[in-house]
């Protein structure tokens, strides 16, 4: 257990020390949701209807920002080779690694999501549902980004490649998380169902993705 | 059987037989299918002559998913048994599958304009085919970005297998998503059951497309093997003929 907490803490510390921690994704998220109304126009009903979708989509893009760094540096400096030598299961190490980075960098996203929902004119309850959906979506988004990042570790300018690999996999999370916000706004009874489905996808990803990430790391190290 | 064809020479012999067989079958079936779909079959009582687009569209959509299944199957065989031909097959299948997917999207769009009055409709099936196209693109991008052949083979095999789980969930979630909003255009239900005068050309075209895909896959596999051998010979020559 000591190994896993050490890796979790290391990733969290690295995220704070090297990359400004939560500031990067938060600032990106804020910039994205500021630009969207400028593109769509200030019509209040349109913004409120499109709000949950825009916010969920912008949160997805913010998660992709840090995906390249998670495995890239550790691939080139040999840290991943050391992971392979550890008696602890590689899947558990990868889970701790992804979650360490995610918990240090992505925690503001649901909060900004609620704030953004209010700015887009959603009723407070709908904004809170959307924030909860984003919170539920973060494990799945972070692990999928980690999977793509592990596959593309060490590739020069791999950011675009990671986005191309990860986006099709993020489709279900995006649908359910944004759907929760949209249903809540429309007064639809499916808001709770969407929220639970987001959570279900996240839990399923927590169960499966670590093995995928571990296989990817093994495959890349040969 | 798997290990039998791991020998490149045996595989080459198989490919030498398979290429003309698939080629002849493609020409006969596609020839007959095209004749039947465009000339010998009656126009639909509802859709008129636009129904003929179906004969090129439906088989393309079927090949798009069948080839992804083949890609994932080959990746699985490579991942478990480290079978070199399976990896080569996966590498070769991906672009062919991507082209069939693009063909399905394009013909579907052309068919959608007269039928639904719109080039593109965000309905569940079209959206999941579009996602499938993105999955093919991601696979090919990863494969070409990795320079080391073994790393490329392993990483892309893992991605192809993960894609299967992903595509199943995408299909389910996209259906949920499209039920969330009422579609703007009213989908006209197709005829009750497909008439035998339409089933024959459709079946022939589907078989013809399958043979075409098989032909292309074997052709490209053999070309790839020959190119590899030529590379190896060049390298041997450059290193001064030392063995």
């Amino acid at each position: 257990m000591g190994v896993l907490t050490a890796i979790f803490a290391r990733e969290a510390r690295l995220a704070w020390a090297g990359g400004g921690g939560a500031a990067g994704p938060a600032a990106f998220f804020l910039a994205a949701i500021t630009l969207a109304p400028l593109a769509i126009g200030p019509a209040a009903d349109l913004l409120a209807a499109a709000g949950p979708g825009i916010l969920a989509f912008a949160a997805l893009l913010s998660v992709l920002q840090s995906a390249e760094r998670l495995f890239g540096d550790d691939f080139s400096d040999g840290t991943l080779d050391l992971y392979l030598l550890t008696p602890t299961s590689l899947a558990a190490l990868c889970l701790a690694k992804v979650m360490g980075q995610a918990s240090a960098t992505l925690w503001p996203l649901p909060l900004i999501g609620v704030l953004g929902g209010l700015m887009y004119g959603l009723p407070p309850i709908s904004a809170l549902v959307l924030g909860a959906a984003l919170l539920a979506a973060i494990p799945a988004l972070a692990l999928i980004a980690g999977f793509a990042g592990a596959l593309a570790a060490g590739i020069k300018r791999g950011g675009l490649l990671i986005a191309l690999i990860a986006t099709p996999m993020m489709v279900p999370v995006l649908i359910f998380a944004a759907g929760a916000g949209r249903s809540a706004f429309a007064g639809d009874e499916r808001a709770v169902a969407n929220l639970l489905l987001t959570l279900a996808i996240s839990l399923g990803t927590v169960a499966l993705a670590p093995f995928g990430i571990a296989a990817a790391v093994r495959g890349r190290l040969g | 059987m798997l290990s039998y064809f791991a020998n490149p020479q045996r595989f080459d012999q198989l490919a030498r037989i398979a290429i003309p067989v698939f080629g002849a079958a493609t020409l006969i079936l596609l020839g007959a299918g095209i004749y039947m779909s465009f000339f010998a079959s009656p126009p639909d009582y509802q859709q008129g002559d636009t129904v003929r687009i179906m004969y090129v569209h439906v088989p393309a959509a079927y090949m798009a998913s069948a080839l992804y299944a083949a890609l994932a199957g080959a990746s699985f065989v490579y991942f478990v048994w480290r079978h070199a031909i399976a990896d080569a097959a996966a590498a070769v299948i991906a672009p062919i599958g991507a082209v069939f997917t693009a063909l399905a999207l394009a013909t579907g769009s052309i068919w959608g304009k007269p039928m639904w009055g719109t080039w593109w409709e965000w309905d569940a099936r079209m959206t999941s085919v579009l996602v499938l196209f993105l999955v093919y693109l991601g696979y090919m991008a990863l494969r070409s970005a990795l320079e080391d052949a073994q790393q490329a083979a392993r990483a892309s095999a893992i991605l192809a297998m993960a894609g299967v789980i992903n595509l199943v969930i995408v299909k389910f979630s996209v259906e949920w998503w499209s039920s969330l909003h009422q579609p703007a255009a009213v989908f006209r239900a197709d005829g009750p059951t497909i008439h035998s005068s339409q089933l024959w050309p459709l079946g022939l075209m589907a078989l013809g497309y399958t043979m075409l895909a098989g032909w292309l896959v074997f052709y490209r596999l053999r070309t790839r093997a020959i190119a590899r051998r030529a590379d190896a010979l060049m390298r041997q020559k450059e290193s001064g003929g030392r063995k």
Side-chain angles (χ1 to χ4, degrees), chain A residues 5-108:
Chain A
T5 35
I7 287 182
F8 186 92
R10 170 183 180 266
E11 286 306 325
R13 274 203 312 275
L14 269 180
W16 275 112
F28 179 88
F29 190 36
L30 206 57
I33 63 178
T34 310
L35 289 186
L38 298 176
I40 301 176
D45 51 341
L46 185 63
L47 274 182
I54 294 171
L55 290 165
F57 177 61
L60 183 156
L61 293 182
S62 322
V63 172
L64 285 175
Q65 299 308 307
S66 45
E68 191 178 356
R69 211 177 45 209
L70 182 60
F71 283 99
D73 294 342
D74 288 351
F75 177 77
S76 29
D77 70 7
T79 309
L80 291 180
D81 291 291
L82 291 179
Y83 284 4
L84 275 183
L85 298 175
T86 318
T88 317
S89 115
L90 185 59
L93 293 181
C94 292
L95 181 65
K97 189 170 166 60
V98 173
M99 286 307 171
Q101 195 205 32
S103 62
T105 57
L106 302 179
W107 58 266

Side-chain angles (χ1 to χ4, degrees), chain B residues 91-193:
Chain B
V92 156
I93 287 170
I96 301 175
V99 168
F100 274 113
T101 314
L103 191 66
L105 287 169
T107 52
S109 166
I110 293 168
W111 195 17
K113 186 61 186 165
M115 293 312 302
W116 304 333
T118 168
W119 293 107
W120 183 263
E121 178 68 31
W122 288 97
D123 93 311
R125 209 181 289 180
M126 289 165 82
T127 312
S128 31
V129 173
L130 188 59
V131 172
L132 174 64
F133 185 60
L134 290 179
V135 169
Y136 272 121
L137 289 187
Y139 179 89
M140 289 191 289
L142 178 68
R143 191 152 198 132
S144 60
L146 290 167
E147 279 157 25
D148 180 271
Q150 200 187 11
Q151 281 189 25
R154 284 201 206 172
S156 50
I158 293 162
L159 181 60
M161 288 188 292
V164 176
I165 307 173
N166 176 43
L167 286 170
V168 171
I169 303 174
V170 163
K171 192 156 172 43
F172 155 72
S173 57
V174 162
E175 263 157 29
W176 170 274
W177 162 78
S178 72
S179 73
L180 208 61
H181 69 93
Q182 290 299 313
V186 180
F187 283 76
R188 215 182 309 170
D190 286 333
T193 45

Side-chain angles (χ1 to χ4, degrees), chain B residues 3-58:
Chain B
S3 52
Y4 184 81
F5 288 114
N7 179 333
Q9 238 162 13
R10 281 205 202 107
F11 179 80
D12 194 63
Q13 282 168 356
L14 172 75
R16 270 168 199 261
I17 301 168
I19 291 170
V21 168
F22 274 112
T26 305
L27 292 180
I28 293 167
L29 286 167
L30 265 192
I34 288 172
Y35 173 73
M36 280 194 78
S37 3
F38 288 101
F39 303 105
S41 72
D44 189 75
Y45 78 102
Q46 257 188 336
Q47 309 187 12
D49 274 331
T50 49
V51 75
R52 300 185 197 285
I53 302 172
M54 175 184 76
Y55 303 126
V56 286
H57 169 68
V58 172

